[in-house]
Amino acid sequence: MVKPKDILSQDEMSALLAKSDFRGFIELATSWGLIVAAFAIVGFWPHLPTIFIPVVVALIILGNRHLALAILVHDACHHALFKTRWLNEFAGKWFAAAPVLQDLDGYRNYHLQHHKYTGQDYQGEKGDPDIILTRNYPISKKSLWRWVLRDLTGRSAPRLYLGLLAMNLGLMKFDLSGRVVMLPQPERTAFGWVTLAIRKVGPFLFTNALMFTTLWLAGNGWLYLLWVGAALTTFQFFTRIRSIAEHGMLPRVADMLKNTRTTEVSWWHRLTFAPHHVNYHLEHHFLMAVPSYRLPKMHRLLKERGVFADAPLAYGYGEILRLATTK
C-alpha cells in the first residue's frame, strides 16, 4: 500500500500539516459570514410574492453552511482547525458542533474508526461506521430521486436528529452506520436527567437561542425558521450527495487510493455540496491531519506525481449522480 512518505518529501508533509490560528479563524468567519448573509437576503427582501426567490437562495446557503459547520467539527476532531489546542477544542465545540447538535468528543471517537475501517462492513465491533451512507450504491434513478425527495421534504431528518440526540445523551452508541446499540444506563433521579440534558444538549440550546435572540433583536426573529428549515431539507440533500461522492461505488478494499474519491468542483459546488474543500477527500484520507485550507495544494502535488492516474477522481457532482445510478 502506498504511504504519504512514498509520494511526499518530509518538508512537503511538514508544510501541508502546518496549522494556523489565523486561517482557522478565516474558515469559521467565512461560514458564519455566509449564514448572516443568508438571513440578510431574506430580511431585506421580505415582500410577497417575490420573497420566494430569496427564501430558496437562503435555504441553499444555510443548508450548505449546516454542512460547513459539520465539516469544521470534522477538522477540529483531527486537531486541524486551529494550531492552538485549547482554541481548536473551544471553537470546534461552541462555533461548529453546538449550533448543529453535534458533540466534538463523541464525533472524534466515531470518526477515527471510519478512517481505520473505511468501506468495510462490520465484523463484530470492527467496521466502518459510515458504511450505510454508501453501501447500497449504485441504485436506480427512480430510487435515488425518491431519496432526494425525502431529503428535500424533511422526511429524512427526524431519524438523523433523534439519533444524534440519543447519542449526545449517551443513550445510544455514537454510530451512523444504521446499527442501534443502546448503552447501559446508571440509575438517575429526575434531577440527574435534567443535569445530563443541560450538559449534553445545553450547548445546542444555548447557541440556537442566541441565534434566535439576535435575529429577534434585529426585528426579524422569524428568520430563525430558515435555519431550522435548511437543517431539515437542503442540508440532508447536500450531505447525501457529498457522502456518495466520497466512498460510493468503490471497491471494499483497505487501500485508500482505491476506496476513497476526490471530486474536482466549481465555485457553485462549494456553495452546495463541498464547503471547506471537503471534495478533496482522498487527500484527507491520505494524510488526515492536513487542514482543509491546505488540501488544494496537496491535490496539486498528488496529481502532478501521477497518483490520480489510477486513484478515483470525478469531475463534478453530475458525474457522481451518473455513477450512483449506473448499474
Side-chain angles (χ1 to χ4, degrees):
M1 184 184 298
V2 177
K3 297 181 179 180
K5 66 181 180 180
D6 299 327
I7 305 294
L8 302 167
S9 71
Q10 186 59 53
D11 286 344
E12 287 170 333
M13 285 193 286
S14 296
L16 290 169
L17 289 166
K19 282 82 174 177
S20 164
D21 288 344
F22 176 73
R23 293 294 298 273
F25 171 78
I26 294 299
E27 295 294 298
L28 267 180
T30 298
S31 272
W32 282 100
L34 284 169
I35 290 169
V36 171
F39 288 135
I41 287 171
V42 182
F44 290 132
W45 198 0
H47 309 296
L48 294 174
T50 54
I51 193 174
F52 175 77
I53 295 174
V55 164
V56 169
V57 171
L59 287 174
I60 291 171
I61 294 174
L62 291 175
N64 170 262
R65 289 303 104 181
H66 270 277
L67 177 55
L69 294 186
I71 298 305
L72 294 179
V73 175
H74 164 268
D75 290 355
C77 99
H78 286 292
H79 305 287
L81 183 56
F82 287 90
K83 178 180 180 179
T84 303
R85 183 61 66 96
W86 74 263
L87 186 56
N88 183 86
E89 299 302 293
F90 178 80
K93 174 180 179 178
W94 288 101
F95 290 94
V100 292
L101 194 58
Q102 289 207 25
D103 176 73
L104 178 58
D105 292 329
Y107 179 81
R108 178 176 284 135
N109 296 329
Y110 149 87
H111 183 66
L112 293 178
Q113 183 156 317
H114 164 66
H115 278 272
K116 188 174 182 179
Y117 300 108
T118 304
Q120 299 179 38
D121 284 305
Y122 269 94
Q123 300 293 330
E125 290 299 310
K126 298 179 179 180
D128 184 354
D130 280 346
I131 189 67
I132 195 172
L133 302 174
T134 55
R135 181 173 53 201
N136 298 320
Y137 293 94
I139 58 178
S140 68
K141 289 183 180 179
K142 183 178 179 180
S143 295
L144 178 62
W145 292 116
R146 183 167 61 244
W147 280 109
V148 168
L149 183 62
R150 286 178 60 88
D151 293 340
L152 293 176
T153 54
R155 288 182 289 167
S156 302
R159 181 179 179 182
L160 170 66
Y161 287 112
L162 287 173
L164 283 175
L165 184 61
M167 293 174 203
N168 289 350
L169 289 172
L171 304 178
M172 190 169 79
K173 185 175 181 180
F174 205 109
D175 192 332
L176 298 178
S177 69
R179 303 188 314 156
V180 177
V181 180
M182 304 306 294
L183 298 175
Q185 297 296 310
E187 291 188 11
R188 288 192 180 94
T189 63
F191 179 75
W193 281 107
V194 171
T195 302
L196 175 67
I198 291 173
R199 183 163 53 90
K200 293 293 188 177
V201 188
F204 166 74
L205 296 176
F206 173 76
T207 53
N208 277 259
L210 184 61
M211 186 183 298
F212 169 76
T213 302
T214 302
L215 291 169
W216 177 72
L217 290 174
N220 290 287
W222 62 275
L223 291 175
Y224 176 74
L225 294 175
L226 293 172
W227 180 250
V228 177
L232 299 177
T233 57
T234 49
F235 166 61
Q236 306 296 320
F237 170 56
F238 296 152
T239 299
R240 181 179 301 279
I241 304 305
R242 189 263 313 172
S243 299
I244 296 171
E246 292 174 353
H247 299 290
M249 301 79 67
L250 292 173
R252 308 270 186 87
V253 295
D255 188 349
M256 71 185 77
L257 297 184
K258 291 182 171 58
N259 64 26
T260 304
R261 180 187 291 108
T262 277
T263 306
E264 294 191 343
V265 301
S266 60
W267 66 268
W268 69 269
H269 284 134
R270 300 199 183 285
L271 288 175
T272 49
F273 309 106
H276 298 297
H277 304 297
V278 72
N279 54 297
Y280 296 118
H281 203 60
L282 185 148
E283 291 79 2
H284 169 62
H285 274 254
F286 200 60
L287 202 57
M288 63 182 176
V290 171
S292 61
Y293 44 81
R294 302 203 193 281
L295 290 176
K297 179 181 179 180
M298 185 177 176
H299 175 69
R300 289 192 295 271
L301 287 172
L302 296 186
K303 201 170 185 181
E304 287 169 1
R305 291 167 196 185
V307 170
F308 288 99
D310 299 310
L313 178 64
Y315 297 93
Y317 289 93
E319 181 176 343
I320 297 301
L321 291 175
R322 287 190 295 273
L323 290 171
T325 56
T326 302
K327 290 198 171 185

